Amino acid sequence: MSGKDRLPIFPSRGALMVVKNRLASAQRGHDLLKQKSEVLEMRFRQILSNIFAMKSLMGEVMKEAAFSMTEAKFATGDFGQIVLENATQAQMKILTRREDVAGVSLPVFEVIQDGADVYELIGLSRGGEKISKLKQNYQNAVKLLVDLATQQTAFLKLDDIVKTTNRRVNAIEYFVIPRIERTLTYIISELDEMEREDFYRLKKIRDKKMAKAQIDLLVGENLGDSSEEM
């Protein structure tokens, strides 16, 4: 095992505990990121489905709005100049809020009706029903466009975040955790080798002590025999 395949750490009991804790943290982090990725991907697929549905509906809504414009002009004549004269402020405004999805903040756009209808006098003489229908159809179109903008903005942001999260998950799963596991294996093998060396060294010391004790015993016995003869 080369040094590049594991963490640069000296094998010891303390290092063993540190690496075990690091492995547990990496596994917990991987699990949390995996769960986050799954939640984001689920929301991503839902948003993608919403975009397809809205784009399919958009054609019908815009066609209905354009057709109601033709009907209103046919019933009331050209009212473009009146609209321009009364266009002093926006009747529909957009508010922005944030929605949290698995720790990711997504923008949400909402349409609100602000102020009185400055075009309410248009169509009083004739074609009032057609004008009301025209305004309602274009309000529906604007709301749908804003909803579609919300979905597409969230889609782009989630697409980037999902890719980043998946890269982190893969990095932890295929690089960080295996590297820590190899380091753990290395430390355990080195500690086992140290224990075998210590055992062998202690055994040699014990054997030498026993041999020395036997020699001392024999020397003592020989000295005793010599004293008796004298």
Side-chain angles (χ1 to χ4, degrees), residues 82-92 113-122 131 135 139:
I82 301 176
V83 172
L84 292 175
E85 290 174 355
N86 289 276
T88 56
Q89 62 180 3
Q91 298 297 296
M92 302 180 72
Q113 193 77 24
D114 187 30
D117 186 3
V118 297
Y119 307 117
E120 60 183 354
L121 298 179
I122 301 177
I131 293 294
K135 289 189 290 186
Q139 286 176 359

Side-chain angles (χ1 to χ4, degrees), residues 5 42 46 61 85 90 97 101 119 140 154 176 189 193 222:
D5 295 333
M42 185 183 302
Q46 180 184 357
V61 172
E85 290 174 355
R97 61 180 177 86
V101 179
Y119 307 117
N140 293 337
V176 176
S189 64
E193 183 64 25
N222 292 333

Side-chain angles (χ1 to χ4, degrees), residues 7-8 15 32 44 61 64-65 76 84 86 92-93 99 104 108 115 133 165-166 173 179 186 192 205 223:
L7 299 175
L32 291 174
F44 181 81
V61 172
E64 183 68 21
T76 63
L84 292 175
N86 289 276
M92 302 180 72
K93 295 184 179 180
E99 181 183 4
V104 178
V108 178
K133 181 181 178 182
T165 304
N166 286 338
E173 182 176 354
R179 195 166 185 237
Y186 163 74
D192 289 343
I205 292 173
L223 292 175

Side-chain angles (χ1 to χ4, degrees), residues 5 23 171-183:
D5 295 333
L23 178 61
I172 294 175
E173 182 176 354
Y174 297 109
F175 178 74
V176 176
I177 290 179
R179 195 166 185 237
I180 295 175
E181 289 175 340
R182 287 192 293 268
T183 304

